[in-house]
Amino acid sequence: MPMYQVKPTSQGDIKIDLPTCMYKLPNIHAQPGSSCAEYPLQNGEVDPALKALEARQDEIMRKLYELKAAIDGLAKTVTTPDADMDVTTLSQTTTVPSFTGTADLDALLGKDLGALRDIVINANPASPPLSLLVLHGLLCQSYRVLSTVHVHSSVSSVPPQLLSCLGPRHTDSYSRQRFQLGFTLIWKDVPKVQMKFSTQSMCPIEGEANVARFLFRLLGSEPKDPIVATQLDSWVDTAFFQLAEGGSKERAAVLRSLNSTLGRSIWLLGHEPSLADIACACCILQDSKALSTPANVQRWLQACRNLEHFHCITPLL
Amino acid sequence: MTKEQVKGSSAEEEEQQAAQSKKALKKQQKEAEKAAKKAEKQAKLTADQQTTEEDDFAQDRYGVCVMLQSQEKLDRSLVRVCELSPDKAGQTVWVRARIHTSRAKGKQCFLVLRQQQFNVQALVAVGERASKQMVKFAANITKESIVDVEAVVQKVEQKIESCSQQDVELHIQRLFVVSQAEPRLPLQLDDAVRPEVEGEEEGRATVNQDTRLDNRVIDLRTTTSQAIFRLQSGVCQLFRDTLTKKGFVEIQTPKIISAASEGGANVFTVSYFKTSAYLAQSPQLYKQMCICADFDKVFCVGPVFRAEDSNTHRHLTEFVGLDIEMAFNYHYHEVIDSITDTMVQIFKGLRDNFQSEIQTVCKQYPSEPFKFLEPTLRLEFTEAVTLLRSAGVEMGDEEDLSTPNEKLLGRLVKEKYDTDFYVLDKYPLAVRPFYTMPDPHNPKYSNSYDMFMRGEEILSGAQRVHDAQLLTERALHHGIDLEKIKSYIDSFRYGAPPHAGGGIGLERVTMLYLGLHNVRQTSMFPRDPKRLTP
């Protein structure tokens, strides 16, 4: 490599009073230069073979780094399914300092007045809101959540797996005061998923997508970057409007675009799973005809299902 | 009867019922006049009949029976009105029913025959089976009389909207009166089932509560009353069935007791030979003794007496109490779960098996269907206080809920959870009776609970103190004379299992399930401070 020459910053013949207890070496700085640096100076041009070798090495190193990143991502999900692929990893991208604790909830849900802050979700047993169940799993990891399932009188009977979809009862469930958050799921004859929180200061939130956004916000891990946030929103809309409610053509189109996105990265929004993955995966899983999914989507679906908080919806599929 | 006589008697009645509203009076007068006219007509008719009797070919096909004294045992099977359906078309059947209405129209007479909540249209027409005189006779049978008819079931082209059997009518061939009603009824059934509408229409009479209760026998014949009390019987049945299935034992407790069980006020004193006794306010003491006697889970259904001089829509001085007491293993929530599940089973049973009754009552007293959750929603008292405060109610932490606050809370809970039934747990210790077990973590609260239907309290219960020493302390704290409750405390001296329970009022549950507004509507013969009859 041809390089420009600089004068040595220090003289090679500085007199130093060296101790005599050690053996002596010739001064390496005193030498005029390494043979490698001298080499191009001698004949003025670089050996092309050496150049090619260097390029190959760089290429190999780059590929190795890429592979390492990919393996790291997969290792969290595939090889160790019980790994904590949870909020802590989700929040790495956003770096929210006090992630758990009431301070966060106070800001989001209003001041704690001493009563349990109970989120009531009305859902139709004919179409269980899978994405909300996944989000419930995430909430449980960051807060003390009192989860209860009820059946409303407008529904005559509900399959047993829907009654146990929020997991086993908390051992402390006899004392409601000990929880930070209530998650009350009511199976009810409603056309759309409905969420009620504070009936006096807030209107009910309708539609699974909107409720999912609300719950995701409670995790404090929504992207701060406006572009990523917009992409996330767009994927959530795509999931609920085109995957869940769209016709077969629309679904196929979405699957194609999912496939190409997932060819470029492991998760929809880069290296970490997000609400976009939860929404899209749940909408595909909900539909039993999802057999003909493209390869990348298939791989990603499997990765999603390996995430711990997806386990709760497996019995419902 | 002559016109004067009728008027005279109506005047007498007017005096008797001076307290009644002018409207009712006017209505009565009108009715009296109508009845008088009818009577006149009838007099004429009988005269007519006498003259034409000899040429009546159908005279053995109708008439008034002699009083039935079981003279003979006829081998005749009667068909129920509710069983009259198009697949019986063409058959000749015998039916016993009441005359609900009759309407003569030239050579034919339309009757509506009623049996309980079912009714069917019947027709007597001059023809080869019926004579002119028979039609006249049919037209003059007084309303509410009981008749036996032999008739052919006939399909109809157009649905008869006014009857419960809409697809068939009866063509009467024989018609006998079994028991005659007096021509003047104290209240008209049609008026008694008319829904109360805002800004009453002219001439649309309704019957007021007192008139109904004074003439309860007739009022109970209305479709609404029939439905209410059938449903109430269902509540009782479902209560028994559910608890028996859960392993509960039904017990009977004495109603005459020596000492007042709760507090001491509000008890009826009865003379008892040379001394006096009290009427039981609640079977609680005896339920608890049964628990101490190792019956594990008990319930009882029986009358309960409260000498409260409150004339509200929901207080009675005697009502039917459905009481539960149960020993539990580790936490009194086991008992709450058991009670709420029983209630949910009752509500489910009513929803699934009594839909026609619910619809019938709804026609007269419209209300939203009763909604509930399974398992039942349980909230804690502090949550309720917070909810009420955020709705602008000012109240202290240890203050009991007032009736309006209970109603408001019911509305708030319904708004969020869409349920008409829920449990409020962990009441402040200060507002509960002395035998309530205090909360183990916070001495201000207690292991007690209330249950609410449509925002009104239906059950109040708690874990009871099962330790004689603590019970003594609590009683002293409440300033209760230990001598008076000695036997109660003593029953816990020989080892008592931890237990909890509660009691509900049958009338209140029926009233609130149906969304009615007065508990007197769901008590067959209600007792309140102002009413001891019928």
Side-chain angles (χ1 to χ4, degrees):
Chain A
M1 272 181 284
M3 289 179 78
Y4 57 94
Q5 275 185 307
V6 278
K7 283 184 176 175
T9 50
S10 61
Q11 295 297 314
D13 51 347
I14 311 165
K15 293 275 178 247
I16 303 164
D17 202 11
L18 290 167
T20 52
C21 58
M22 291 173 80
Y23 58 90
K24 283 189 179 177
L25 271 181
N27 189 349
I28 50 164
H29 297 293
Q31 283 165 3
S34 72
S35 60
C36 183
E38 222 171 323
Y39 179 72
L41 293 173
Q42 278 177 346
N43 52 14
E45 57 183 47
V46 185
D47 183 3
L50 184 65
K51 224 176 175 177
L53 189 70
E54 250 174 355
R56 255 181 72 196
Q57 188 187 355
D58 283 353
E59 178 64 19
I60 288 170
M61 287 307 282
R62 196 184 61 78
K63 276 188 178 169
L64 274 175
Y65 278 123
E66 242 173 50
L67 195 63
K68 186 174 180 293
I71 293 291
D72 278 351
L74 284 175
K76 284 176 187 160
T77 61
V78 181
T79 55
T80 53
D82 291 325
D84 278 346
M85 177 46 114
D86 57 13
V87 199
T88 42
T89 47
L90 273 178
S91 61
Q92 270 175 7
T93 48
T94 55
T95 62
V96 175
S98 61
F99 188 65
T100 52
T102 44
D104 207 3
L105 283 180
D106 275 346
L108 290 161
L109 299 177
K111 230 177 147 277
D112 185 4
L113 295 165
L116 178 73
R117 282 183 283 218
D118 200 0
I119 297 171
V120 179
I121 290 173
N122 296 319
N124 198 318
S127 56
L130 298 181
S131 64
L132 303 187
L133 300 182
V134 173
L135 286 165
H136 165 259
L138 285 172
L139 282 171
C140 284
Q141 283 166 357
S142 37
Y143 301 108
R144 291 175 60 81
V145 182
L146 176 64
S147 326
T148 43
V149 183
H150 296 275
V151 181
H152 191 261
S153 53
S154 58
V155 174
S156 52
S157 74
V158 163
Q161 65 264 30
L162 288 186
L163 294 177
S164 56
C165 62
L166 294 187
R169 256 169 80 142
H170 201 286
T171 45
D172 273 353
S173 62
Y174 56 86
S175 177
R176 290 169 63 91
Q177 300 304 317
R178 296 187 190 174
F179 294 88
Q180 290 173 296
L181 206 59
F183 191 97
T184 304
L185 178 62
I186 300 175
W187 296 115
K188 187 178 168 185
D189 185 18
V190 282
K192 260 186 190 173
V193 174
Q194 196 182 44
M195 194 207 85
K196 288 177 181 176
F197 178 65
S198 162
T199 44
Q200 277 154 325
S201 58
M202 196 173 129
C203 65
I205 294 181
E206 289 209 331
E208 189 173 338
N210 299 324
V211 179
R213 285 186 179 109
F214 182 90
L215 295 181
F216 190 64
R217 202 148 294 177
L218 292 184
L219 293 167
S221 53
E222 74 269 21
K224 293 285 183 286
D225 177 12
I227 296 172
V228 182
T230 313
Q231 282 173 334
L232 187 146
D233 251 353
S234 150
W235 276 120
V236 172
D237 277 345
T238 306
F240 288 104
F241 290 117
Q242 290 174 294
L243 276 176
E245 288 166 23
S248 56
K249 271 189 183 173
E250 255 177 304
R251 286 175 58 88
V254 176
L255 284 178
R256 273 197 300 279
S257 86
L258 273 174
N259 198 42
S260 69
T261 310
L262 291 168
R264 291 191 295 271
S265 64
I266 305 161
W267 305 104
L268 286 175
L269 296 180
H271 289 306
E272 304 292 345
S274 67
L275 180 62
D277 298 283
I278 296 174
C280 291
C282 287
C283 287
I284 295 174
L285 291 171
Q286 194 140 36
D287 195 68
S288 51
K289 299 190 291 285
L291 293 169
S292 59
T293 44
N296 290 335
V297 176
Q298 199 78 55
R299 175 187 56 74
W300 160 82
L301 269 184
Q302 196 50 49
C304 284
R305 295 185 70 169
N306 280 333
L307 295 176
E308 193 197 357
H309 43 268
F310 266 79
H311 292 178
C312 61
I313 62 167
T314 314
L316 306 181
L317 299 173
Chain B
M1 241 193 292
T2 68
K3 211 172 182 174
E4 282 81 355
Q5 268 178 330
V6 172
K7 274 201 170 166
S9 69
S10 80
E12 261 171 51
E13 284 212 13
E14 269 171 34
E15 275 168 41
Q16 280 175 2
Q17 298 172 336
Q20 285 190 2
S21 69
K22 267 187 189 174
K23 211 173 186 183
L25 272 174
K26 257 188 201 167
K27 200 195 74 201
Q28 247 180 6
Q29 225 164 6
K30 258 189 202 168
E31 256 166 40
E33 272 164 33
K34 259 190 218 164
K37 270 181 199 164
K38 221 180 191 180
E40 222 171 86
K41 260 190 194 169
Q42 205 174 6
K44 250 188 208 170
L45 216 120
T46 38
D48 277 358
Q49 234 170 4
Q50 272 168 358
T51 56
T52 52
E53 208 154 64
E54 52 269 28
D55 52 327
D56 181 6
F57 63 88
Q59 60 174 309
D60 54 350
R61 291 184 168 274
Y62 64 91
V64 178
C65 294
V66 289
M67 194 188 359
L68 206 147
Q69 282 183 300
S70 306
Q71 286 91 340
E72 52 181 334
K73 194 176 175 206
L74 278 179
D75 192 20
R76 177 195 287 165
S77 58
L78 294 169
V79 175
R80 315 272 310 160
V81 169
C82 57
E83 289 164 1
L84 295 171
S85 56
D87 56 272
K88 282 210 165 44
Q91 293 180 21
T92 305
V93 295
W94 277 96
V95 172
R96 175 170 295 180
R98 281 184 195 277
I99 302 284
H100 186 61
T101 58
S102 67
R103 187 162 46 94
K105 206 174 166 189
K107 288 188 171 182
Q108 50 190 6
C109 174
F110 286 98
L111 303 170
V112 173
L113 301 179
R114 191 189 78 237
Q115 191 173 56
Q116 295 172 341
Q117 66 267 52
F118 305 102
N119 48 21
V120 64
Q121 179 169 286
L123 173 66
V124 194
V126 177
E128 53 182 87
R129 298 287 180 133
S131 61
K132 217 174 157 188
Q133 289 84 353
M134 182 168 163
V135 174
K136 274 186 181 168
F137 174 80
N140 287 311
I141 302 174
T142 50
K143 273 190 193 181
E144 293 301 305
S145 296
I146 298 173
V147 293
D148 270 359
V149 299
E150 187 196 45
V152 181
V153 183
Q154 208 96 62
K155 262 194 216 172
V156 287
E157 298 286 307
Q158 228 177 351
K159 282 199 170 192
I160 304 165
E161 297 293 340
S162 58
C163 292
S164 67
Q165 311 309 111
Q166 300 194 329
D167 302 315
V168 291
E169 64 176 11
L170 296 176
H171 288 204
I172 293 176
Q173 298 185 334
R174 291 167 202 268
L175 174 64
F176 298 102
V177 177
V178 178
S179 171
Q180 229 164 351
E182 285 193 11
R184 230 177 54 77
L185 296 169
L187 58 97
Q188 298 297 314
L189 265 80
D190 284 337
D191 297 342
V193 295
R194 193 161 287 139
E196 279 173 45
V197 273
E198 300 275 326
E200 276 175 76
E201 296 163 57
E202 186 65 33
R204 290 248 147 186
T206 51
V207 185
N208 70 18
Q209 183 90 40
D210 275 325
T211 316
R212 283 171 190 279
L213 295 181
D214 288 337
N215 303 284
R216 197 59 166 156
V217 175
I218 296 177
D219 183 45
L220 288 175
R221 286 179 194 167
T222 60
T223 48
T224 309
S225 299
Q226 289 281 323
I228 290 175
F229 290 101
R230 270 155 219 281
L231 186 123
Q232 189 171 69
S233 149
V235 173
C236 232
Q237 186 68 40
L238 288 161
F239 181 78
R240 280 204 167 93
D241 287 353
T242 314
L243 289 174
T244 311
K245 245 182 254 164
K246 285 179 188 286
F248 279 76
V249 180
E250 178 164 7
I251 56 165
Q252 305 296 338
T253 60
K255 306 301 169 213
I256 302 174
I257 54 173
S258 65
S261 45
E262 269 178 64
N266 310 336
V267 284
F268 284 112
T269 316
V270 289
S271 75
Y272 196 73
F273 305 111
K274 278 175 188 156
T275 156
S276 60
Y278 305 99
L279 291 181
Q281 263 186 319
S282 134
Q284 190 189 321
L285 221 149
Y286 296 94
K287 285 189 305 179
Q288 287 191 262
M289 287 205 240
C290 285
I291 296 296
C292 293
D294 285 350
F295 278 93
D296 203 33
K297 300 165 171 179
V298 297
F299 73 95
C300 70
V301 178
V304 173
F305 305 90
R306 300 272 161 96
E308 289 172 48
D309 193 8
S310 44
N311 295 287
T312 71
H313 74 284
R314 58 185 199 144
H315 283 95
L316 290 174
T317 50
E318 177 185 341
F319 61 90
V320 179
L322 309 178
D323 279 86
I324 299 178
E325 198 74 27
M326 175 182 155
F328 61 82
N329 297 333
Y330 295 106
H331 200 284
Y332 73 101
H333 281 177
E334 295 164 31
V335 181
I336 294 189
D337 292 345
S338 226
I339 298 176
T340 52
D341 184 58
T342 307
M343 296 305 293
V344 167
Q345 295 310 322
I346 292 174
F347 300 148
K348 273 181 155 178
L350 293 178
R351 178 190 68 187
D352 299 341
N353 306 326
F354 289 85
Q355 210 40 249
S356 71
E357 277 82 0
I358 295 170
Q359 296 307 327
T360 308
V361 177
C362 250
K363 261 185 228 159
Q364 187 176 0
Y365 303 104
S367 73
E368 270 191 51
F370 190 81
K371 293 173 179 170
F372 55 91
L373 297 177
E374 185 188 13
T376 304
L377 177 72
R378 184 180 64 84
L379 300 175
E380 285 176 19
F381 190 81
T382 46
E383 277 178 84
V385 173
T386 316
L387 266 175
L388 285 172
R389 280 186 188 150
S390 66
V393 174
E394 284 178 25
M395 64 178 292
D397 277 337
E398 290 183 68
E399 202 179 309
D400 203 359
L401 296 175
S402 65
T403 311
N405 282 353
E406 280 178 359
K407 286 232 161 167
L408 175 60
L409 183 64
R411 273 208 300 282
L412 295 174
V413 170
K414 175 140 191 200
E415 227 174 282
K416 184 158 175 183
Y417 298 92
D418 200 24
T419 174
D420 287 311
F421 179 62
Y422 68 96
V423 184
L424 198 56
D425 194 14
K426 295 274 167 214
Y427 269 68
L429 185 60
V431 302
R432 305 300 272 201
F434 74 96
Y435 49 74
T436 308
M437 183 66 88
D439 183 90
H441 306 295
N442 189 342
K444 279 186 179 177
Y445 293 95
S446 62
N447 291 348
S448 59
Y449 43 87
D450 273 10
M451 295 183 189
F452 294 87
M453 279 172 76
R454 296 197 202 251
E456 287 191 37
E457 181 239 303
I458 55 148
L459 174 143
S460 186
Q463 178 185 350
R464 330 285 190 191
V465 177
H466 59 278
D467 177 81
Q469 200 190 334
L470 180 59
L471 198 56
T472 315
E473 274 170 35
R474 295 297 309 156
L476 282 175
H477 183 263
H478 277 254
I480 292 167
D481 184 4
L482 287 179
E483 269 312 302
K484 278 190 176 167
I485 55 164
K486 190 174 175 298
S487 66
Y488 180 64
I489 295 177
D490 283 346
S491 48
F492 301 106
R493 288 194 195 282
Y494 314 105
H499 60 283
I504 58 175
L506 176 63
E507 288 86 351
R508 242 188 229 188
V509 169
T510 316
M511 164 180 87
L512 293 169
Y513 183 84
L514 290 170
L516 300 174
H517 297 297
N518 199 314
V519 73
R520 289 163 189 80
Q521 287 170 321
T522 56
S523 173
M524 212 166 236
F525 301 104
R527 292 284 174 266
D528 64 34
K530 296 204 171 110
R531 178 175 291 278
L532 209 49
T533 51

